[in-house]
Amino acid sequence: MTANGELRSTQWFGATGRTGMAHRSWMRSEGFTPEVFDGRPVIGIATTWSELAPCNVHLQRVAESVKRGVWQAGGFPLEFPAMALGETLLRPTAMLYRNLLAMEAEELMRANPLDGVVLLSGCDKTTPGLLMAAASVDLPALMVTGGPMLNGKYRGTDVGSGTAVWRFEEDLVAGRMTQEECVFAEGCMARSNGHCMTMGTASTMASMAEALGMQLPYSATWPAADSRRYETAQRAGQVIVDLVRQDLRPSAIMTRAAFENAIRVNAAIGGSTNAVIHLLALAGRLGVPLSLDDFDVLARDVPTLVNLQPNGQYLMEDFCYAGGLPAVMRELAEAGLLHAEAITVTGSGIGANVADAPCWNREVIKTMAEPLQPAGTGTAVLRGNLAPGGAVIKQSASSAHLLKHRGRALVFDSPADYYAVSNDPELDVDEDTVLVIRYCGPRGYPGMPEVSNVALPRKLLLRGVRDMVRICDGRMSGTAYGTVVLHVAPEAAAGGPLALVRTGDWITLDVPDRTLTLEVSAEELAERRAAWSLPAPHASRGWTRLYCEHVLQADSGADLDFLVGASGHEVPRESH
Ligand code: FES
């Protein structure tokens, strides 16, 4: 809507004279009849479809279902592409481009004659990227994620995409699996359209979108192959037209209460640590005050309820059939851990949306009385002289015996440096060693890739060691597990203390106490700092240069400094 209450698309299609004719005439070349310009809401469908993003490849079909709903409700749907980010293919990491997607989609939404937007995403970064864009434009918006793949099936057992990869690799290294068996398993693991079906980052962010109120109830969990995915998409097309008529915008939905709900839901589902970064960045777009410490404080009284890999046993298809996210949110609501009044795209409060949500399988969705893991075992925020800006650890993916640990550092300046020697039987490492992998942060890699949970040294794997403490300024896939301290801020490439650690230093990790300590005196660290110099820039031009010059640290969501905040959707100047 414009300030005077008329649809903003009317400024384009309702115009008289040469400019109105230009706006309508070229659209008529697509074969639309003149009635579509009669003042009905114009709904953009931002799709991250691409054959280079396998998790999003079915979004064209989802878009068709959205269009049906928009037409049904009296709107005019127009699909447009936004940058697709395929997690498995993009180098050096899809995260380098999340902000570029957000910037591109923001400008497309603002510059075009749209009254509302449906956001189609799936793979990890596409969901936060589109939400960040919508937040900065603040047109009525509704998200439809593409849904998870069907459960992977390998030799009679369910295997989770992503999560199984780590185990298969370890089995290959340890000689328990052959290369031929691995190739066969690849096809069994990802066997349908959809995003990863563990509680990895894609499933987490789809759940975050629903918990924030930006997706319709159950939208996060219907498998991509399920007809209800397409029913939901059609319904979303109807609802977005209503949202435009009510002028219900993201800024009214994604409030501080909605973020608190999302953080608690993330704890209850055992969600990815990546949600921390994406929610911080999203809150920054909306001007919602949110800090790293909120994630620790708000999650401390929330147990893990959802029994999904990598923390648990099941997969997203099972979660869907067990009752999906509404059944989890109902548990939280009944325990007083949900802001029930937080408004959602249904026009109702989230509490009303989930009040009667049934649970059909208590093996998959546990109760507050008998949770999968007790309260306080979710993502913890650590601080100390090694991470003055904070770091996170996913306790539920860690080994209990390592949550209080003291060990000597073995330091590498890149994962590649580590992997060059990780198979060496003479490597000076044992199960008490603390592996430090640095220069993997937003500026360092660049893009803060998911490389922090490096595979264990071969000599330890052969001895049956399954976990050891690792510390990194990068991220970890939501599908992964291990006692890995992540998102260390400031990163090494920004001169954080991580850059000053030397092999042989003692490091103490104390998760119950929320501390991460490098046992080196301040004087010694000052001497080391004086001898340290900034690494050479990664690029002299283009996006990578812009990114490295402006990216914020992990504790601020790794957005670009000049993208924080919103510009709204007013564009006063004509193009002709
Ligand atoms: Fe796309 Fe996992 S690779 S969601």
Side-chain angles (χ1 to χ4, degrees):
M1 295 273 184
T2 61
N4 64 10
E6 72 173 7
L7 291 174
R8 70 192 290 272
S9 62
T10 306
Q11 297 174 346
W12 281 260
F13 298 136
T16 55
R18 182 172 53 83
T19 52
M21 192 178 293
H23 294 316
R24 291 184 301 271
S25 177
W26 271 260
M27 290 301 290
R28 295 280 298 278
S29 74
E30 295 186 37
F32 295 117
T33 56
E35 303 88 81
V36 298
F37 307 116
D38 63 3
R40 67 187 73 196
V42 179
I43 305 298
I45 302 171
T47 178
T48 48
W49 171 87
S50 168
E51 287 185 334
L52 289 168
C55 308
N56 295 14
V57 81
H58 61 301
L59 291 183
Q60 281 181 314
R61 194 180 152 209
V62 177
E64 290 308 313
S65 295
V66 175
K67 285 180 200 172
R68 282 187 211 164
V70 173
W71 286 121
Q72 272 180 316
F76 175 23
L78 292 168
E79 182 183 353
F80 64 96
M83 189 176 182
L85 306 178
E87 193 68 27
T88 52
L89 299 182
L90 279 170
R91 286 185 176 181
T93 165
M95 183 64 178
L96 178 62
Y97 304 106
R98 181 202 65 181
N99 300 337
L100 185 56
L101 161 63
M103 191 160 73
E104 182 210 25
E106 173 184 342
E107 298 303 332
L108 285 171
M109 289 177 204
R110 181 180 298 114
N112 278 296
L114 304 177
D115 300 305
V117 197
V118 177
L119 313 167
L120 302 190
S121 67
C123 203
D124 297 13
K125 308 302 176 293
T126 55
T127 298
L130 288 180
L131 284 175
M132 288 160 69
S136 287
V137 181
D138 206 24
L139 279 173
L142 185 160
M143 177 157 266
V144 182
T145 50
M149 297 177 200
L150 298 174
N151 288 2
K153 300 279 181 186
Y154 175 64
R155 294 188 169 174
T157 59
D158 283 5
V159 286
S161 53
T163 298
V165 169
W166 309 107
R167 291 195 207 283
F168 290 155
E169 187 194 29
E170 286 173 6
D171 287 348
L172 186 66
V173 171
R176 292 186 293 269
M177 228 173 151
T178 66
Q179 181 60 34
E180 291 69 34
E181 286 171 325
C182 277
V183 170
F184 180 72
E186 288 166 9
C188 303
M189 191 169 58
R191 66 185 181 96
S192 80
N193 284 153
H195 59 68
C196 289
M197 81 312 254
T198 54
M199 189 50 79
T201 305
S203 301
T204 299
M205 291 312 299
S207 301
M208 292 299 90
E210 189 172 324
L212 284 165
M214 292 296 292
Q215 289 219 75
L216 293 174
Y218 299 98
S219 189
T221 44
W222 291 122
D226 195 303
S227 60
R228 274 80 54 96
R229 164 69 42 207
Y230 299 91
E231 276 186 32
T232 302
Q234 185 170 338
R235 185 71 63 206
Q238 298 166 354
V239 169
I240 187 65
V241 177
D242 275 348
L243 291 180
V244 170
R245 292 188 171 126
Q246 297 166 36
D247 200 24
L248 183 55
R249 290 185 257 145
S251 58
I253 294 173
M254 292 191 279
T255 59
R256 167 83 193 185
F259 277 93
E260 291 190 3
N261 285 343
I263 290 169
R264 288 195 165 118
V265 167
N266 191 42
I269 62 177
S272 163
T273 46
N274 286 322
V276 176
I277 291 195
H278 298 318
L279 290 178
L280 285 169
L282 182 57
R285 297 300 185 100
L286 292 151
V288 170
L290 197 71
S291 74
L292 193 54
D293 294 320
D294 286 324
F295 288 81
D296 198 313
V297 171
L298 290 163
R300 276 196 190 215
D301 47 5
V302 181
T304 307
L305 301 180
V306 178
N307 185 8
L308 253 60
Q309 297 179 29
N311 309 317
Q313 185 181 352
Y314 296 97
L315 295 167
M316 285 296 282
E317 196 182 340
D318 309 303
F319 184 27
C320 175
Y321 306 149
L325 203 64
V328 177
M329 288 196 277
R330 178 180 174 177
E331 285 289 318
L332 294 178
E334 290 177 354
L337 292 169
L338 199 74
H339 297 293
E341 75 290 353
I343 203 79
T344 72
V345 287
T346 65
S348 302
I350 201 155
N353 289 351
V354 304
D356 301 317
C359 174
W360 306 108
N361 187 340
R362 283 294 175 201
E363 264 302 295
V364 179
I365 302 172
K366 304 282 188 177
T367 62
M368 296 293 286
E370 291 183 59
L372 181 73
Q373 284 157 337
T377 55
T379 296
V381 175
L382 309 171
R383 290 188 189 273
N385 67 344
L386 195 47
V392 303
I393 186 167
K394 187 174 180 180
Q395 297 178 84
S396 56
S398 303
S399 301
H401 72 280
L402 291 174
L403 292 176
K404 274 175 88 88
H405 182 80
R406 184 170 182 262
R408 283 195 181 274
L410 179 59
V411 182
F412 296 91
D413 283 345
S414 72
D417 286 356
Y418 165 69
Y419 284 122
V421 298
S422 65
N423 286 345
D424 184 347
E426 301 302 319
L427 186 66
D428 186 13
V429 65
D430 63 26
E431 53 267 58
D432 292 330
T433 301
V434 175
L435 272 181
V436 174
I437 313 289
R438 63 190 177 191
Y439 296 101
C440 300
R443 284 192 223 169
Y445 205 84
M448 204 181 178
E450 295 179 336
V451 295
S452 303
N453 58 316
V454 290
L456 267 52
R458 188 161 192 266
K459 76 187 248 190
L460 296 186
L461 284 173
L462 292 175
R463 281 179 33 207
V465 177
R466 280 286 175 271
D467 197 7
M468 66 190 297
V469 174
R470 287 151 279 180
I471 298 176
C472 187
D473 44 8
R475 297 176 301 118
M476 178 171 88
S477 166
T479 62
Y481 49 88
T483 309
V484 192
V485 176
L486 306 159
H487 309 180
V488 173
E491 62 177 309
L498 197 65
L500 309 179
V501 184
R502 291 182 181 166
T503 290
D505 288 346
W506 286 98
I507 292 176
T508 299
L509 168 67
D510 188 335
V511 178
D513 204 31
R514 301 298 196 259
T515 55
L516 181 66
T517 309
L518 175 63
E519 297 180 23
V520 176
S521 69
E523 295 74 29
E524 168 69 15
L525 287 177
E527 277 181 30
R528 293 185 190 180
R529 177 169 300 287
W532 179 84
S533 54
L534 268 177
H538 285 283
S540 60
R541 64 173 298 282
W543 171 252
T544 302
R545 175 175 170 174
L546 187 69
Y547 179 91
C548 290
E549 288 178 355
H550 292 280
V551 70
L552 299 170
Q553 290 295 288
D555 56 322
S556 299
D559 202 357
L560 300 192
D561 51 11
F562 61 84
L563 290 176
V564 173
S567 304
H569 49 259
E570 289 296 317
V571 187
R573 291 198 151 170
E574 254 296 351
S575 52
H576 301 287

